[in-house]
Amino acid sequence: MKTLNKVEGKEIDLLLKKYCEAVPDKGWVPKFVYNVVLHNTETIIGECEARIGNTDNLFYNGHIGYAINSEYRGNGYAGMAVELLLQVCKENGLDEVYITNSPDNTNSKRVCEKINANFLGLFELPLDNAMRIEDGETHKNVFQIDL
């Protein structure tokens, strides 16, 4: 696994917060969790993660997750963070990534559209999916990006 401790952009950087090993028994792949910070500062404006690997559940859970703190939303930072995470995914051998969001999360859907992710559709979660069991979610929008 290639660890990137810092991924620099023009307006934001990603600083590695933690690395989580795979847990095959649970179907979990290795994961990099980053703080999203304003470029060349220590001001944390959000968090994002890249899950490295391929499992059936990643189609529904996604390879990439992101959250920008409310006071920093509306500046395009989520899309910038995704672009930087794509570097992490590519460096670690992924050829494509899935990004998913809940059907009612219009902000996340807009991020995917702005970065030109390919919308594959709205998919029903399998009955044994943890998001369905634990959170009561039934459907996810699924986007794909070829690296």
Side-chain angles (χ1 to χ4, degrees):
M1 194 65 44
K2 184 170 183 180
T3 302
L4 299 175
N5 292 317
K6 182 175 184 181
V7 186
E8 291 191 41
K10 292 181 181 176
E11 295 184 46
I12 64 164
D13 301 326
L14 305 182
L15 299 178
L16 187 64
K17 181 178 179 178
K18 66 180 174 179
Y19 171 75
C20 304
E21 294 285 341
V23 182
D25 297 357
K26 293 186 177 186
W28 296 352
V29 297
K31 173 173 72 172
F32 295 98
V33 181
Y34 289 94
N35 283 325
V36 181
V37 300
L38 294 175
H39 184 61
N40 287 331
T41 73
E42 294 181 14
T43 304
I44 298 172
I45 64 168
E47 187 174 286
C48 60
E49 60 185 49
R51 296 175 278 276
I52 307 299
N54 286 300
T55 66
D56 291 341
N57 269 339
L58 277 176
F59 179 79
Y60 302 102
N61 298 355
H63 289 96
I64 288 177
Y66 47 86
I68 300 298
N69 300 341
S70 59
E71 64 269 29
Y72 294 100
R73 291 182 187 154
N75 295 297
Y77 295 139
M80 293 177 206
V82 171
E83 294 289 347
L84 295 175
L85 285 173
L86 293 176
Q87 293 177 33
V88 175
C89 292
K90 191 171 186 172
E91 286 285 330
N92 282 285
L94 292 180
D95 297 323
E96 65 183 8
V97 298
Y98 295 110
I99 302 173
T100 67
N101 48 55
S102 299
D104 61 345
N105 190 341
T106 55
N107 290 336
S108 184
K109 186 174 181 185
R110 238 187 329 261
V111 167
C112 291
E113 291 167 348
K114 284 183 180 179
I115 62 169
N116 295 315
N118 181 29
F119 180 61
L120 299 181
L122 178 65
F123 291 86
E124 184 173 359
L125 294 174
L127 296 176
D128 63 348
N129 183 280
M131 289 183 292
R132 187 173 195 133
I133 295 167
E134 296 168 13
D135 303 329
E137 293 195 60
T138 59
H139 291 79
K140 285 288 187 178
N141 289 320
V142 179
F143 293 83
Q144 178 185 11
I145 299 174
D146 290 326
L147 302 177

